[in-house]
Amino acid sequence: PATEQQKFADLATLVSLDSKNDFSLVAETWKSSLAPNGRFVKYEGRVLFVVRVYARAALVWPAKVTDLN
């Protein structure tokens, strides 16, 4: 269910913040809810595909940028 997915997304966010040892970013996690579902975004120099957006997290997949020439 969607509520369980939200709980896992919140947990993944906390684990990520813990691995960076920077819990000061907790107040900024709501910004991930602004990411557009099904679109590409550029974040910290990386291109990512937004698979799903949650209230305090976004599920993204790394994208590879190639030249069209």
Side-chain angles (χ1 to χ4, degrees), residues 21-37:
N21 200 23
D22 191 1
F23 283 96
S24 66
L25 297 174
V26 168
E28 304 293 318
T29 59
W30 67 271
K31 292 179 182 177
S32 63
S33 68
L34 301 176
N37 272 323

Side-chain angles (χ1 to χ4, degrees), residues 3-24:
T3 55
E4 291 297 314
Q5 291 177 8
Q6 181 63 56
K7 288 178 188 176
F8 282 116
D10 289 343
L11 179 59
T13 300
L14 291 175
V15 169
S16 176
L17 293 175
D18 183 50
S19 70
K20 295 176 184 177
N21 200 23
D22 191 1
F23 283 96
S24 66

